[in-house]
């Protein structure tokens, strides 16, 4: 469902359910000498996505959104591939984001975003909150300079098991864009 409440507020809500069949599995042969590939897994996902925008003033906009999702995967008779069941559908149960975009006059803009991701189950990766920021300055027609910071709250794990866990760290950079 999509709608608009007046000229300054828009929103979208989506409920979904996906059914999967014949998903990939890997089983060891009875003699233990080989791996066979099959399609002996099934699953489903269901959830809700909701997003909204508010134009607070002519120069300031706030956007927010969230996704809630539930996933279930199971093996069909004849498969003993527990690894595929444990690693398939490794998505967080929720994600949420709040973003603010503000034009500071005609040539400067400031964007701030806070996002939250839920924990992952196996292997366990904790939930995290991250803050991103961007300050942009259009100093001539077609030329822009930006300072961008991502994960300003510090590093967080994305996936994996220590010591092979993927960590995403804080990043600060400068971007120059020239467009003719």
């Amino acid at each position: 469902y999509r709608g608009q409440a007046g000229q300054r507020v828009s929103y979208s809500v989506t409920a979904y359910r996906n059914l999967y069949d014949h998903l990939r599995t890997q089983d060891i042969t009875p003699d233990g000498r080989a791996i066979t590939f099959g399609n002996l897994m099934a699953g489903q996902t269901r959830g809700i996505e909701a997003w909204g925008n508010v134009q607070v003033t002519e120069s300031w906009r706030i956007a927010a959104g969230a996704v809630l999702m539930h996933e279930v995967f199971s093996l069909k008779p004849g498969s003993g591939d527990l690894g595929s069941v444990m690693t398939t559908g490794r998505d967080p149960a929720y994600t949420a984001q709040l973003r603010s975009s503000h034009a500071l006059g005609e040539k400067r803009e400031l964007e701030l975003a806070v996002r939250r991701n839920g924990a992952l189950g196996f292997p366990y990766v904790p939930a995290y909150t991250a803050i991103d920021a961007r300050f942009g300055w259009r100093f001539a027609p077609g030329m822009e300079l930006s300072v961008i910071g991502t994960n300003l709250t510090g590093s967080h794990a994305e996936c994996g098991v220590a010591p092979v866990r993927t960590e995403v760290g804080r990043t600060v950079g400068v971007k120059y864009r020239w467009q003719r």
Side-chain angles (χ1 to χ4, degrees), residues 40-61:
L40 297 173
M41 186 169 43
Q44 67 172 294
T45 60
R46 63 181 187 273
I48 296 174
E49 295 183 19
W51 303 96
N53 289 291
V54 177
Q55 192 72 42
V56 180
T57 67
E58 191 174 310
S59 62
W60 183 28
R61 183 176 54 147

Side-chain angles (χ1 to χ4, degrees), residues 77-127:
S79 178
D81 182 8
L82 295 179
S84 290
V85 172
M86 292 171 34
T87 59
T88 300
R90 290 194 15 84
D91 298 299
Y94 69 90
T95 60
Q97 179 172 274
L98 176 64
R99 178 177 294 274
S100 173
S101 303
H102 197 104
L104 306 170
E106 291 182 25
K107 295 187 177 190
R108 294 179 310 277
E109 56 192 15
L110 177 64
E111 296 177 9
L112 298 170
V114 177
R115 54 193 159 85
R116 175 81 179 165
N117 274 17
L120 299 178
F122 178 82
Y124 177 73
V125 176

Side-chain angles (χ1 to χ4, degrees), residues 25-45:
T25 54
Q26 303 174 67
D27 288 295
I28 298 172
T29 58
D31 62 9
R33 293 185 174 185
I35 294 176
T36 61
F37 294 94
N39 298 98
L40 297 173
M41 186 169 43
Q44 67 172 294
T45 60

